[in-house]
Amino acid sequence: MIRSNLQWEQIRYLSAMVYNVNCTKKSQMILPDKLFPLPQDTYLDRGKPKSDIESFMDFKKKIKKAKTYKNKEEL
């Protein structure tokens, strides 16, 4: 099953390459996953945000804390 999925991925990728070679404008080019859908595309989560605002703010606080800690060590 996995081998079959990889072969379909390869066919889709090569088909997209052939299509894109014949495009005259960059706006006409297409991504392989837009050419035709495959069952394994549901697991890719494309188009969804990678993180939310809360996790970003927590990360930002950690970075700020690490910078202040580093500045104190340098003194």
Side-chain angles (χ1 to χ4, degrees):
M1 175 112 172
I2 293 174
R3 183 178 213 164
S4 176
N5 288 347
L6 291 174
Q7 289 173 342
W8 276 108
E9 282 283 342
Q10 186 178 18
I11 289 170
R12 183 168 69 172
Y13 184 76
L14 291 172
S15 301
M17 285 178 58
V18 170
Y19 178 85
N20 290 337
V21 165
N22 294 312
C23 292
T24 55
K25 297 181 182 177
K26 189 167 182 122
S27 63
Q28 295 173 337
M29 291 186 175
I30 193 167
L31 294 174
D33 61 332
K34 301 293 181 192
L35 195 58
F36 56 89
L38 293 175
Q40 61 264 27
D41 289 342
T42 57
Y43 301 111
L44 294 178
D45 295 333
R46 291 197 180 158
K48 294 182 181 178
K50 298 191 186 303
S51 65
D52 56 350
I53 299 296
E54 293 174 3
S55 62
F56 173 73
M57 296 307 281
D58 290 340
F59 179 72
K60 192 173 178 180
K61 286 178 187 176
K62 287 181 183 178
I63 296 297
K64 191 173 186 179
K65 187 177 178 182
K67 283 184 178 180
T68 57
Y69 181 73
K70 185 177 180 185
N71 289 338
K72 287 181 182 177
E73 284 183 350
E74 290 176 356
L75 296 176

